[in-house]
Amino acid sequence: MPSTVILGTGSYAPERVLTNDDLARTVETSDEWIRTRTGIRERRIAGPGENTSDMAVQAAQRALADAGLTPADIDLLVVATITPDLPMPACACLVQAKLGVPTAAACFDLNAACSGFVFALDTVCAMLASGRYKKALVIGVEKLSAVIDWQDRTTCVLFGDGAGAVVVGVSPEEGRGFIGSRLGTMGESADLLCIPRGGSAAPSTAESIAARDHCIRMKGKEVFKLAVRGMDDAARDILEQHRVRPDQIALVIPHQANLRIIEAIAAYLELPMDRFFVNVDRYGNTSAASIPLALDEARKSGRIKPGDLTLLVAFGAGLTYGSALVRW
Ligand code: UT7
């Protein structure tokens, strides 16, 4: 099997910053509660008319520039998102047109919520390894501000908007790049984190919109416990599968939902927190964008060196979870 390697990374966060104090002016909450329960200090919110596809294009352009490639080089484009511009067509088609990716490219969306980037990376690496594609763009992007119930303090303080992208290609060098993944799903718990209305089973009505049932609903405590279990299992399984000890991981890039979840996983893996990249304080939970945004910041800030082994680990609605090992 040829190696699949990450050739470039890029990310984008909208300009507007929404602080905890800003939120405390509209719902009954406080900076202190949000910081101590989640680690979040602020999040970014897309500007008027700024769509998911626009943020995806910004991150993709930066990843392509980092890889020294152009949109013309791409023959596979996967957008991981739960907030596409439209229910149909796929956000990837809009991104293709805005970016100028050739017509011969396969472009599609993938919905695995906050685990979406890890699922998409795994999918793309398998497709590249088949030899039928040469260069891929994997984008994780969300405009969660569009599906947040801004009156629900139990969710509105948690999420934010943003995008991250990677360019993936094939390399003859062995032992580098994408080493493997472990993906999993707990569909029986799907109702713990969902958008209850607006799909084909329950189209939106005037009443459901008034009740804001087209927005994210979450049973936070239950999801918290399963998130720790799912991410710990995903991390442990992949390390065992590839005979890697936790202390051989130079940096873990975890899904950024809650600092307490990251701390719990660090404790289970018996790794110090400085082996974990954390930016949840500045962006909140950006779902599918969270890992690629963190990965790009980690790389650009010099936290990942050639030869380093990194572990990506995610958990999200579905419920889905997944991990991936990448050697740089
Ligand atoms: O990305 C997908 C995965 N998502 C996650 O992993 C999120 C997982 N869940 C969590 O991160 C946490 O469960 C939350 C941050 C959502 C909540 O933290 P918690 O420590 O589990 O708090 P809680 O839900 O048990 O709420 C404790 C109290 C409640 O009041 P009572 O019932 O004790 O009187 C809540 O009503 O805090 C109250 N509360 C708030 N208070 C101030 C809930 N939200 C807020 C708020 N500000 N924003």
Side-chain angles (χ1 to χ4, degrees):
M1 285 271 263
S3 301
T4 44
V5 291
I6 293 179
L7 303 169
T9 62
S11 60
Y12 171 80
E15 239 171 74
R16 186 177 158 214
V17 175
L18 185 70
T19 66
N20 292 346
D21 284 333
D22 293 335
L23 279 165
R25 282 190 272 279
T26 56
V27 286
E28 207 184 319
T29 189
S30 65
D31 174 55
E32 209 258 332
W33 191 95
I34 303 170
R35 261 189 304 103
T36 53
R37 297 285 176 134
T38 71
I40 301 167
R41 290 170 185 275
E42 58 188 40
R43 68 287 292 142
R44 302 296 183 93
I45 303 294
E50 187 172 35
N51 292 323
T52 301
S53 60
D54 301 316
M55 294 189 281
V57 166
Q58 293 284 340
Q61 282 170 337
R62 290 169 191 183
L64 283 166
D66 189 39
L69 295 171
T70 71
D73 297 309
I74 299 299
D75 56 3
L76 176 59
L77 193 171
V78 181
V79 175
T81 188
I82 52 162
T83 49
D85 293 23
L86 304 164
M88 183 188 83
C91 188
C93 305
L94 310 181
V95 174
Q96 175 201 25
K98 287 182 183 179
L99 205 53
V101 165
T103 312
C107 304
F108 61 93
D109 285 3
L110 187 150
N111 177 342
C114 304
S115 310
F117 178 78
V118 174
F119 275 57
L121 185 66
D122 186 55
T123 303
V124 154
C125 288
M127 290 176 78
L128 287 170
S130 77
R132 293 191 293 126
Y133 299 89
K134 303 246 166 331
K135 297 244 167 18
L137 254 173
V138 186
I139 307 171
V141 57
E142 301 290 2
K143 185 175 165 181
L144 294 171
S145 58
V147 292
I148 287 169
D149 177 351
W150 291 102
Q151 295 179 35
D152 174 10
R153 71 174 183 171
T154 69
T155 54
C156 76
V157 302
L158 303 175
F159 300 102
D161 299 336
V166 299
V167 180
V168 190
V170 179
S171 163
E173 266 182 81
E174 276 182 33
R176 256 190 78 215
F178 180 81
I179 292 172
S181 71
R182 163 81 176 86
L183 308 180
T185 313
M186 314 174 191
E188 74 284 356
S189 301
D191 62 328
L192 295 181
L193 175 51
C194 66
I195 294 179
R197 293 296 291 250
S200 62
S204 287
T205 60
E207 291 75 27
S208 75
I209 289 171
R212 297 177 302 284
D213 283 342
H214 57 295
C215 295
I216 294 176
R217 299 282 180 236
M218 176 167 68
K219 296 203 171 81
K221 245 191 186 357
E222 287 94 324
V223 173
F224 188 102
K225 286 182 211 143
L226 291 171
V228 173
R229 200 178 86 197
M231 288 169 80
D232 182 50
D233 283 353
R236 250 168 229 292
D237 285 357
I238 195 154
L239 294 180
E240 262 170 40
Q241 202 181 323
H242 294 276
R243 295 190 169 78
V244 173
R245 291 188 318 274
D247 65 3
Q248 291 176 293
I249 302 293
L251 193 65
V252 183
I253 318 275
H255 171 48
Q256 311 280 319
N258 186 324
L259 182 61
R260 284 159 52 217
I261 295 177
I262 300 174
E263 286 170 345
I265 293 157
Y268 281 132
L269 293 178
E270 295 181 35
L271 280 176
M273 273 303 283
D274 63 10
R275 296 277 185 99
F276 285 72
F277 189 82
V278 174
N279 64 6
V280 69
D281 51 322
R282 287 178 290 123
Y283 300 113
N285 181 347
T286 58
S287 185
S290 139
I291 287 184
L293 183 55
L295 182 61
D296 184 48
E297 288 199 342
R299 266 195 75 229
K300 306 270 165 75
S301 63
R303 296 278 305 271
I304 301 175
K305 311 234 159 23
D308 275 357
L309 191 57
T310 53
L311 170 68
L312 317 183
V313 58
F315 185 88
L319 300 170
T320 54
Y321 60 93
S323 59
L325 273 177
V326 180
R327 170 86 66 190
W328 295 83

